[in-house]
């Protein structure tokens, strides 16, 4: 089992280039199932979840040429596409549920495993299924699989999501793209990754437009086009390294990004005293001694992202005073807190609130990763300690951070992978 060893107390200095977005690549890869034309996608991050999605596409019959080194992919879904997505692949990567929409839209039937829960929550898909049934999909759940079909194909409709859901919004945008007639989706998630998906679908010939606050209008089309598309940058990876620079008193330039997309994160860091200079497509972050405490909650975009909550919590352990974070999106996303407390943090959990005492000096320790973002928060804490920390179960980390030890070593961190 691989581990990461980190010896801390180094100011991180230098440039870090941000990779393509995992959470944009996954729905875009799923959406390629709509098309019988050529699809060429670049800037995919080299992370485990992308490899799992490619395995899933191949299991459905996709012909995939994946040039890992150049991070580009050519996909041919023109023929022999199956409509069965197995538990073995969907269970390890919940985004596998995103193949349901395109399979139903193109083939009018699909048998897709329920994704099942994970460390951060139950991860139900009821909102996806309720919305798909408004497009004429009939489904039943049997032996852990969704057996779905649309006898007359998908028919456009007006759908208002009961709750803002990134995945449900993505599934329905993709499904409606080939539905007969017009679909209006209301109360949509508006994350940048969804805008990236829409931009890619438009280049594939789909007719999609933003038609009001959290409202998207899709007119189904019959023909699609060959497409070449570059995936956007990973804003959560960018936020993670910004926090790493602030935390270690460093001076890091984060490149290959669009600062305005992470305005909320930049403003929160500035509010707690971090010096941030944003330019065209770079951000420079200076560590400061004085971090101010804050009270904030996670919320759907453009609010503070739940995927950065664990990382910010580490920084707030260094604040001058008590902070509070309310996790409004997932029901169990404080798994990093007990591990941080083992490193000397004083974090108390009360319901969906974490109360974080400041002025903490973390101590090196042997640590256990539980989920993707919790894992990286432990690395961040370990970077500030004297002595050597060891992080176990780093497969969680490899799901979403490309070359993390290489990128951190480049800016001076003492970190290495051992098995
Ligand atoms: C996406 O997950 C991201 N994953 C998550 O990133 C991210 O944390 C989340 O959006 C919120 O921003 C990908 O994009 C692959 P949701 P998703 O549907 O789509 C509940 C990471 O670390 N819900 O917006 O699964 C759900 O349980 C990952 O990169 C239902 O109740 O998130 C949650 O409480 C973690 N029923 C809330 O809604 C449903 O049918 C938001 O979930 C669907 C969701």
């Amino acid at each position: 089992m691989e581990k990461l060893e980190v010896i801390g107390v180094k100011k991180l200095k230098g440039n870090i280039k941000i990779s393509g977005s995992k959470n944009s690549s996954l729905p875009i890869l799923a959406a390629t199932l709509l098309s019988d034309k050529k699809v060429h996608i670049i800037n995919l991050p080299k992370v485990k979840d992308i490899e799992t999605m490619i395995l899933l596409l191949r299991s459905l019959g996709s012909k995939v040429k994946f040039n890992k080194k150049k991070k580009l992919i050519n996909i041919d879904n023109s023929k022999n596409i199956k409509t069965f997505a197995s538990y073995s692949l969907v269970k390890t990567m919940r985004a596998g549920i995103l193949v349901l929409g395109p399979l139903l839209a193109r083939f009018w039937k699909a048998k897709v495993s329920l994704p099942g829960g994970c460390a951060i929550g139950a991860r139900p898909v009821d909102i996806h299924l309720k919305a798909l049934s408004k497009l004429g999909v009939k489904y039943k759940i049997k032996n852990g699989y969704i057996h779905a079909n649309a006898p007359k194909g998908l028919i456009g409709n007006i759908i208002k999501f009961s709750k803002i859901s990134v995945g449900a919004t993505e599934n329905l945008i993709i499904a409606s793209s080939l539905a007969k007639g017009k679909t209006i989706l209301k109360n949509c998630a508006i994350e940048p990754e969804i805008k990236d998906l829409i931009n890619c679908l438009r280049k594939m010939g789909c007719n999609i437009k933003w038609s009001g606050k959290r409202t998207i209008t899709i007119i189904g089309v019959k023909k699609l086009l060959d497409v070449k598309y570059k995936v956007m940058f990973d804003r959560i990876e960018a936020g993670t390294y910004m926090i790493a620079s602030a935390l270690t008193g460093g001076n890091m330039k984060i490149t290959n990004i669009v600062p305005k997309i992470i305005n909320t994160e930049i403003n929160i860091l500035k509010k707690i005293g971090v010096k941030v200079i944003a330019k065209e497509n770079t951000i420079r972050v200076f560590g400061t001694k004085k971090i101010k405490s804050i009270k904030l909650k996670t919320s759907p975009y453009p609010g503070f992202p739940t995927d950065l909550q664990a990382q910010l919590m580490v920084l707030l352990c260094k604040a001058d005073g008590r902070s509070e974070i309310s996790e409004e999106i997932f029901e169990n996303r404080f798994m990093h807190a007990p591990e941080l407390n083992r490193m000397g943090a004083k974090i108390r959990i009360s319901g969906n609130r974490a109360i974080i005492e400041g002025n903490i000096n973390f101590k090196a320790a042997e640590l256990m990763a539980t989920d993707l973002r919790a894992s990286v928060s432990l690395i961040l804490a370990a970077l500030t300690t004297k002595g050597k920390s060891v992080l176990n179960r780093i497969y969680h980390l490899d799901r979403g951070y490309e070359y993390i030890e290489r990128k951190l070593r480049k800016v001076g961190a003492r970190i290495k992978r051992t098995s």
Side-chain angles (χ1 to χ4, degrees):
M1 192 78 98
E2 289 190 316
K3 301 173 188 240
L4 278 179
E5 286 180 9
V6 181
I7 299 173
V9 189
K10 287 277 283 180
K11 293 182 187 306
L12 301 185
K13 291 189 164 48
N15 297 356
I16 280 201
K17 186 165 180 271
I18 298 304
S19 305
S21 162
K22 161 180 89 80
N23 290 352
S24 181
S25 302
L26 292 170
I28 285 174
L29 288 171
T32 64
L33 288 164
L34 286 175
S35 174
D36 58 357
K37 296 291 187 307
K38 287 191 182 56
V39 178
H40 177 81
I41 300 167
I42 63 172
N43 199 35
L44 289 168
K46 269 187 82 250
V47 297
K48 195 85 188 87
D49 273 9
I50 301 303
E51 291 169 24
T52 307
M53 181 56 92
I54 290 169
L55 280 177
L56 177 54
L57 289 176
R58 284 186 168 134
S59 75
L60 292 168
S62 297
K63 294 206 174 12
V64 180
K65 287 199 189 76
F66 182 34
N67 181 329
K68 258 191 185 181
K69 203 161 162 308
K70 291 200 191 115
K71 299 188 224 175
L72 60 86
I73 195 166
N74 288 303
I75 303 178
D76 171 1
N77 287 328
S78 57
K79 42 186 175 301
N80 308 326
I81 296 297
K82 298 186 215 49
T83 57
F84 168 68
S86 76
Y87 172 68
S88 60
L89 287 164
V90 176
K91 78 172 183 314
T92 57
M93 185 209 43
R94 261 151 299 285
I97 192 67
L98 295 174
V99 303
L100 183 63
L103 291 175
L104 284 166
R106 186 169 164 203
F107 303 105
W108 301 5
K109 67 182 170 88
K111 178 181 171 188
V112 175
S113 168
L114 279 170
C118 69
I120 64 175
R123 312 298 292 273
V125 291
D126 55 314
I127 300 174
H128 298 239
L129 295 173
K130 190 157 163 277
L132 285 167
S133 56
K134 299 273 282 185
L135 297 182
V137 174
K138 307 265 178 279
Y139 69 87
K140 61 179 186 306
I141 310 277
K142 221 171 97 198
N143 310 328
Y145 279 85
I146 301 160
H147 299 254
N149 67 57
K152 299 197 188 74
L154 301 191
I155 319 249
N157 203 342
I158 297 176
I159 298 168
K160 185 172 171 29
F161 292 111
S162 57
K163 181 176 179 182
I164 293 174
S165 159
V166 170
T169 302
E170 291 165 343
N171 235 337
L172 270 290
I173 291 170
I174 298 169
S176 311
S177 293
L178 296 187
K180 292 181 194 71
K182 182 192 283 192
T183 298
I184 301 176
L185 301 177
K186 298 183 174 182
N187 198 27
C188 295
I190 57 172
E191 269 61 6
E193 295 75 23
I194 289 178
K195 293 172 184 150
D196 210 29
L197 169 66
I198 290 174
N199 292 340
C200 180
L201 286 168
R202 277 186 182 141
K203 287 190 85 170
M204 286 167 71
C206 298
N207 181 342
I208 306 171
K209 63 179 191 305
W210 294 92
S211 45
K213 192 169 171 349
R214 294 190 180 277
T215 306
I216 299 169
T217 300
I218 302 115
I219 313 280
V221 294
K222 289 194 172 53
K223 303 289 291 163
L224 295 176
L225 312 168
D226 291 354
V227 68
K228 277 187 190 310
Y229 195 73
K230 178 179 181 189
V231 166
M232 70 175 278
F233 75 99
D234 193 311
R235 64 189 169 103
I236 304 302
E237 185 195 21
T240 302
Y241 289 124
M242 287 163 66
I243 290 173
S245 185
L247 193 64
T248 58
N251 172 351
M252 273 166 60
K253 189 161 100 168
I254 320 278
T255 65
N256 202 34
I257 60 167
V258 178
K260 69 175 185 327
I261 286 184
I262 49 176
N263 238 353
T264 301
E265 295 87 322
I266 293 171
N267 291 336
I268 293 283
L269 288 178
K270 285 182 176 173
K271 194 170 170 189
I272 61 174
V274 179
K275 192 172 165 208
V276 182
I277 300 172
K279 293 236 171 62
E280 183 68 19
N281 56 10
T282 64
I283 285 186
R284 187 172 284 282
V285 180
F286 299 88
T288 37
K289 287 252 174 300
K290 285 270 303 141
I291 298 284
K292 295 189 201 96
S293 59
I294 192 172
K295 193 171 170 185
L296 94 157
K297 58 184 185 181
T298 63
S299 56
Y301 195 87
F304 188 81
T306 173
D307 293 348
L308 267 184
Q309 175 256 104
Q311 301 91 313
L312 182 71
M313 191 180 284
V314 176
L315 186 55
L316 293 177
C317 289
K318 294 284 187 187
D320 188 12
R322 175 179 295 175
S323 300
E324 195 174 303
I325 301 181
S326 304
E327 173 51 60
E328 303 291 331
I329 309 289
F330 288 106
E331 64 269 32
N332 185 34
R333 202 168 196 177
F334 290 134
M335 305 278 281
H336 41 287
E339 287 298 280
L340 291 172
N341 285 343
R342 289 183 56 248
M343 298 177 82
K346 289 192 182 66
I347 303 162
R348 185 168 54 85
I349 305 298
S350 159
N352 75 331
R353 286 182 317 134
I355 296 96
I356 305 132
E357 299 305 334
N359 302 306
I360 291 291
N361 288 315
F362 289 109
K363 307 270 180 306
E366 173 113 27
L367 301 158
M368 185 75 77
T370 51
D371 60 86
L372 170 56
R373 308 302 174 181
S375 320
V376 84
S377 74
L378 301 179
I379 297 277
L380 294 179
L383 287 170
T384 69
T385 64
K386 291 189 177 62
K388 179 164 82 177
S389 299
V390 178
L391 180 64
N392 296 287
R393 294 192 185 171
I394 55 169
Y395 56 85
H396 289 290
L397 204 57
D398 293 335
R399 292 189 49 187
Y401 283 92
E402 181 186 276
Y403 302 136
I404 185 162
E405 64 264 36
R406 190 190 299 183
K407 291 191 179 186
L408 283 172
R409 267 205 301 274
K410 191 166 168 285
V411 289
R414 285 172 291 181
I415 178 170
K416 69 177 181 171
R417 189 175 289 246
T418 62
S419 51

